[in-house]
């Protein structure tokens, strides 16, 4: 597995992190952004969705971004 697409998807997910009101909304929004990043980079859409969902939830919960 090449790490470049994973890194690009993670950076895109964190950079485009959009907050929701609940953890579920944050996961869905992050998953959508991650899936898009995975598709654009030629990586795994499912993997991108998982990374995006986790990244967005963690970014908001840990106050990395202003949610």
């Amino acid at each position: 597995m090449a790490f470049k697409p994973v890194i690009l998807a993670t950076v895109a997910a964190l950079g485009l992190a959009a907050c929701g009101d609940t953890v579920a909304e944050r996961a869905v929004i992050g998953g959508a952004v991650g899936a898009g990043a995975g598709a654009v980079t030629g990586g795994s859409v499912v993997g991108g969705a998982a990374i995006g969902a986790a990244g967005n939830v963690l970014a908001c919960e840990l106050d990395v971004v202003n949610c």
Side-chain angles (χ1 to χ4, degrees):
M1 174 181 191
F3 286 101
K4 185 176 179 181
V6 173
I7 292 169
L8 290 173
T10 303
V11 169
L14 289 175
L16 298 172
C19 293
D21 293 330
T22 66
V23 173
E25 287 177 358
R26 293 173 183 157
V28 169
I29 293 168
V33 171
V40 168
T41 62
S44 170
V45 174
V46 175
I51 292 169
N56 196 37
V57 169
L58 286 175
C60 290
E61 294 296 317
L62 298 176
D63 291 326
V64 175
V65 294
N66 188 16
C67 292

